[in-house]
Short mmCIF file of all heavy atoms in Angstrom, two decimals:
data_model
loop_
_atom_site.label_atom_id
_atom_site.label_comp_id
_atom_site.label_asym_id
_atom_site.label_seq_id
_atom_site.Cartn_x
_atom_site.Cartn_y
_atom_site.Cartn_z
N GLN A 148 -34.74 -9.86 -35.47
CA GLN A 148 -34.35 -11.10 -34.97
C GLN A 148 -32.81 -11.23 -34.86
O GLN A 148 -32.16 -11.29 -35.96
CB GLN A 148 -34.85 -12.20 -35.84
CG GLN A 148 -34.65 -13.65 -35.32
CD GLN A 148 -35.35 -14.71 -36.05
OE1 GLN A 148 -35.86 -14.60 -37.15
NE2 GLN A 148 -35.59 -15.88 -35.37
N ALA A 149 -32.45 -11.12 -33.63
CA ALA A 149 -30.91 -11.28 -33.43
C ALA A 149 -30.51 -12.72 -33.58
O ALA A 149 -31.31 -13.62 -33.45
CB ALA A 149 -30.58 -10.73 -32.09
N PRO A 150 -29.25 -12.98 -33.85
CA PRO A 150 -28.76 -14.35 -34.05
C PRO A 150 -29.11 -15.27 -32.81
O PRO A 150 -28.77 -14.87 -31.76
CB PRO A 150 -27.26 -14.17 -34.22
CG PRO A 150 -27.06 -12.79 -34.78
CD PRO A 150 -28.14 -11.98 -34.16
N GLY A 151 -29.74 -16.29 -33.15
CA GLY A 151 -30.13 -17.23 -32.04
C GLY A 151 -31.20 -16.87 -31.17
O GLY A 151 -31.37 -17.46 -30.15
N LYS A 152 -31.93 -15.71 -31.49
CA LYS A 152 -32.95 -15.32 -30.60
C LYS A 152 -34.33 -15.17 -31.36
O LYS A 152 -34.42 -15.32 -32.56
CB LYS A 152 -32.58 -13.90 -29.98
CG LYS A 152 -31.32 -13.97 -29.14
CD LYS A 152 -31.10 -12.72 -28.46
CE LYS A 152 -29.90 -12.79 -27.44
NZ LYS A 152 -29.64 -11.54 -26.67
N GLU A 153 -35.43 -14.89 -30.61
CA GLU A 153 -36.74 -14.71 -31.21
C GLU A 153 -36.80 -13.39 -31.82
O GLU A 153 -36.05 -12.43 -31.54
CB GLU A 153 -37.75 -14.90 -30.07
CG GLU A 153 -37.77 -16.24 -29.45
CD GLU A 153 -38.89 -16.26 -28.33
OE1 GLU A 153 -39.44 -15.28 -28.05
OE2 GLU A 153 -39.21 -17.41 -27.86
N ARG A 154 -37.78 -13.23 -32.69
CA ARG A 154 -38.17 -11.99 -33.26
C ARG A 154 -38.86 -11.10 -32.21
O ARG A 154 -39.78 -11.57 -31.50
CB ARG A 154 -39.11 -12.12 -34.44
CG ARG A 154 -38.49 -12.83 -35.69
CD ARG A 154 -39.55 -12.93 -36.74
NE ARG A 154 -38.94 -13.84 -37.72
CZ ARG A 154 -39.54 -14.05 -38.92
NH1 ARG A 154 -40.70 -13.52 -39.16
NH2 ARG A 154 -39.03 -14.95 -39.82
N ASN A 155 -38.45 -9.81 -32.23
CA ASN A 155 -38.98 -8.90 -31.17
C ASN A 155 -39.40 -7.60 -32.03
O ASN A 155 -38.76 -7.13 -32.92
CB ASN A 155 -38.02 -8.44 -30.16
CG ASN A 155 -37.66 -9.63 -29.15
OD1 ASN A 155 -38.65 -10.28 -28.68
ND2 ASN A 155 -36.51 -10.00 -29.03
N LEU A 156 -40.58 -7.07 -31.64
CA LEU A 156 -41.08 -5.92 -32.19
C LEU A 156 -40.20 -4.69 -31.81
O LEU A 156 -39.89 -4.48 -30.63
CB LEU A 156 -42.49 -5.64 -31.75
CG LEU A 156 -43.17 -4.34 -32.25
CD1 LEU A 156 -43.42 -4.46 -33.75
CD2 LEU A 156 -44.52 -4.10 -31.55
N VAL A 157 -39.77 -3.95 -32.81
CA VAL A 157 -38.94 -2.75 -32.51
C VAL A 157 -39.81 -1.48 -32.69
O VAL A 157 -39.52 -0.47 -32.03
CB VAL A 157 -37.68 -2.77 -33.24
CG1 VAL A 157 -36.71 -3.82 -32.80
CG2 VAL A 157 -37.81 -2.68 -34.73
N ALA A 158 -40.64 -1.43 -33.70
CA ALA A 158 -41.47 -0.28 -34.01
C ALA A 158 -42.64 -0.63 -34.85
O ALA A 158 -42.64 -1.68 -35.56
CB ALA A 158 -40.57 0.78 -34.73
N GLU A 159 -43.76 0.15 -34.65
CA GLU A 159 -44.86 -0.02 -35.53
C GLU A 159 -45.60 1.36 -35.68
O GLU A 159 -45.41 2.20 -34.90
CB GLU A 159 -45.91 -0.97 -34.94
CG GLU A 159 -46.51 -0.65 -33.71
CD GLU A 159 -47.60 -1.72 -33.19
OE1 GLU A 159 -47.38 -2.87 -33.58
OE2 GLU A 159 -48.46 -1.38 -32.34
N ILE A 160 -46.26 1.43 -36.88
CA ILE A 160 -47.01 2.61 -37.20
C ILE A 160 -48.45 2.19 -37.53
O ILE A 160 -48.64 1.23 -38.24
CB ILE A 160 -46.27 3.37 -38.35
CG1 ILE A 160 -47.09 4.63 -38.60
CG2 ILE A 160 -46.22 2.57 -39.63
CD1 ILE A 160 -46.29 5.65 -39.49
N ARG A 161 -49.37 2.91 -36.94
CA ARG A 161 -50.74 2.57 -37.07
C ARG A 161 -51.43 3.39 -38.08
O ARG A 161 -50.90 4.29 -38.63
CB ARG A 161 -51.49 2.63 -35.55
CG ARG A 161 -50.80 1.73 -34.68
CD ARG A 161 -51.09 2.05 -33.24
NE ARG A 161 -50.30 1.23 -32.37
CZ ARG A 161 -49.75 1.54 -31.20
NH1 ARG A 161 -50.01 2.83 -30.72
NH2 ARG A 161 -49.08 0.80 -30.59
N SER A 162 -52.66 2.97 -38.45
CA SER A 162 -53.40 3.63 -39.55
C SER A 162 -53.49 5.17 -39.25
O SER A 162 -53.47 6.01 -40.23
CB SER A 162 -54.69 3.03 -39.79
OG SER A 162 -55.62 3.08 -38.61
N ASN A 163 -53.59 5.51 -37.99
CA ASN A 163 -53.80 7.01 -37.68
C ASN A 163 -52.43 7.65 -37.45
O ASN A 163 -52.36 8.82 -37.00
CB ASN A 163 -54.67 7.19 -36.44
CG ASN A 163 -53.98 6.52 -35.18
OD1 ASN A 163 -52.93 5.99 -35.32
ND2 ASN A 163 -54.68 6.61 -34.06
N ARG A 164 -51.30 6.92 -37.85
CA ARG A 164 -49.92 7.46 -37.77
C ARG A 164 -49.34 7.46 -36.36
O ARG A 164 -48.25 7.87 -36.19
CB ARG A 164 -49.75 8.91 -38.36
CG ARG A 164 -49.89 8.86 -39.89
CD ARG A 164 -49.50 10.14 -40.49
NE ARG A 164 -49.60 10.15 -42.00
CZ ARG A 164 -48.58 9.81 -42.82
NH1 ARG A 164 -47.44 9.33 -42.30
NH2 ARG A 164 -48.83 9.92 -44.07
N ASP A 165 -50.21 6.93 -35.32
CA ASP A 165 -49.57 6.76 -34.02
C ASP A 165 -48.40 5.71 -34.16
O ASP A 165 -48.49 4.87 -34.99
CB ASP A 165 -50.57 6.21 -33.07
CG ASP A 165 -51.55 7.36 -32.55
OD1 ASP A 165 -51.23 8.46 -32.74
OD2 ASP A 165 -52.49 7.04 -31.75
N THR A 166 -47.38 5.96 -33.32
CA THR A 166 -46.27 5.02 -33.43
C THR A 166 -45.98 4.39 -32.08
O THR A 166 -46.30 4.86 -31.03
CB THR A 166 -45.01 5.77 -33.95
OG1 THR A 166 -44.74 6.92 -33.08
CG2 THR A 166 -45.25 6.21 -35.39
N PHE A 167 -45.23 3.25 -32.14
CA PHE A 167 -44.75 2.59 -30.90
C PHE A 167 -43.29 2.21 -31.11
O PHE A 167 -42.94 1.78 -32.29
CB PHE A 167 -45.54 1.29 -30.64
CG PHE A 167 -44.93 0.46 -29.60
CD1 PHE A 167 -44.96 0.60 -28.32
CD2 PHE A 167 -44.13 -0.62 -30.13
CE1 PHE A 167 -44.29 -0.26 -27.42
CE2 PHE A 167 -43.41 -1.46 -29.29
CZ PHE A 167 -43.50 -1.26 -27.88
N TYR A 168 -42.50 2.36 -30.17
CA TYR A 168 -41.09 1.96 -30.19
C TYR A 168 -40.72 1.15 -28.99
O TYR A 168 -41.11 1.51 -27.74
CB TYR A 168 -40.16 3.18 -30.25
CG TYR A 168 -40.27 4.06 -31.43
CD1 TYR A 168 -41.18 5.24 -31.47
CD2 TYR A 168 -39.76 3.71 -32.61
CE1 TYR A 168 -41.39 5.97 -32.58
CE2 TYR A 168 -39.88 4.51 -33.84
CZ TYR A 168 -40.76 5.64 -33.68
OH TYR A 168 -40.94 6.39 -34.89
N ASP A 169 -39.97 0.04 -29.18
CA ASP A 169 -39.44 -0.66 -28.09
C ASP A 169 -38.44 0.31 -27.40
O ASP A 169 -37.80 1.20 -27.99
CB ASP A 169 -38.64 -1.89 -28.58
CG ASP A 169 -38.07 -2.72 -27.45
OD1 ASP A 169 -38.87 -3.38 -26.74
OD2 ASP A 169 -36.85 -2.63 -27.26
N ALA A 170 -38.33 0.09 -26.11
CA ALA A 170 -37.37 1.02 -25.26
C ALA A 170 -36.00 0.98 -25.79
O ALA A 170 -35.25 1.94 -25.67
CB ALA A 170 -37.44 0.56 -23.82
N SER A 171 -35.59 -0.18 -26.40
CA SER A 171 -34.16 -0.34 -26.80
C SER A 171 -33.80 0.61 -27.95
O SER A 171 -32.63 0.78 -28.24
CB SER A 171 -33.85 -1.74 -27.08
OG SER A 171 -34.66 -2.15 -28.27
N VAL A 172 -34.84 1.06 -28.76
CA VAL A 172 -34.57 1.87 -29.96
C VAL A 172 -35.18 3.25 -29.80
O VAL A 172 -34.90 4.05 -30.73
CB VAL A 172 -35.18 1.07 -31.14
CG1 VAL A 172 -34.57 -0.26 -31.28
CG2 VAL A 172 -36.68 1.24 -31.23
N LYS A 173 -35.88 3.50 -28.72
CA LYS A 173 -36.60 4.77 -28.73
C LYS A 173 -35.56 5.99 -28.68
O LYS A 173 -34.46 5.85 -27.94
CB LYS A 173 -37.40 4.86 -27.38
CG LYS A 173 -38.53 5.80 -27.45
CD LYS A 173 -39.54 5.53 -26.27
CE LYS A 173 -40.82 6.32 -26.49
NZ LYS A 173 -41.78 5.94 -25.41
N GLY A 174 -35.82 6.94 -29.50
CA GLY A 174 -34.86 8.07 -29.65
C GLY A 174 -33.80 7.82 -30.71
O GLY A 174 -33.09 8.80 -31.10
N ARG A 175 -33.69 6.63 -31.15
CA ARG A 175 -32.68 6.31 -32.20
C ARG A 175 -33.36 5.95 -33.53
O ARG A 175 -32.83 6.16 -34.67
CB ARG A 175 -31.79 5.23 -31.80
CG ARG A 175 -31.01 5.49 -30.48
CD ARG A 175 -29.93 4.38 -30.25
NE ARG A 175 -30.56 3.05 -30.00
CZ ARG A 175 -30.25 2.03 -30.66
NH1 ARG A 175 -29.45 2.09 -31.70
NH2 ARG A 175 -30.83 0.81 -30.40
N PHE A 176 -34.48 5.25 -33.45
CA PHE A 176 -35.11 4.67 -34.68
C PHE A 176 -36.34 5.67 -34.87
O PHE A 176 -37.01 6.04 -33.89
CB PHE A 176 -35.60 3.29 -34.55
CG PHE A 176 -34.42 2.34 -34.60
CD1 PHE A 176 -33.05 2.69 -34.50
CD2 PHE A 176 -34.69 1.01 -34.64
CE1 PHE A 176 -32.08 1.72 -34.50
CE2 PHE A 176 -33.68 -0.04 -34.63
CZ PHE A 176 -32.39 0.44 -34.55
N THR A 177 -36.75 5.73 -36.16
CA THR A 177 -38.01 6.54 -36.51
C THR A 177 -38.67 5.67 -37.67
O THR A 177 -38.14 5.40 -38.59
CB THR A 177 -37.74 7.93 -37.05
OG1 THR A 177 -36.99 8.66 -35.95
CG2 THR A 177 -39.06 8.66 -37.32
N ILE A 178 -39.99 5.40 -37.30
CA ILE A 178 -40.81 4.66 -38.31
C ILE A 178 -41.63 5.73 -39.02
O ILE A 178 -42.19 6.60 -38.41
CB ILE A 178 -41.65 3.57 -37.67
CG1 ILE A 178 -42.23 2.66 -38.79
CG2 ILE A 178 -42.61 4.14 -36.75
CD1 ILE A 178 -42.92 1.38 -38.15
#
């Protein structure tokens, strides 16, 4: 949640270890 903005999903990890990344963090963040 950036200042003055809504919360946005940046990454998630599922029970089978599959992952999702928002385009803004892909390649920089690892869950």
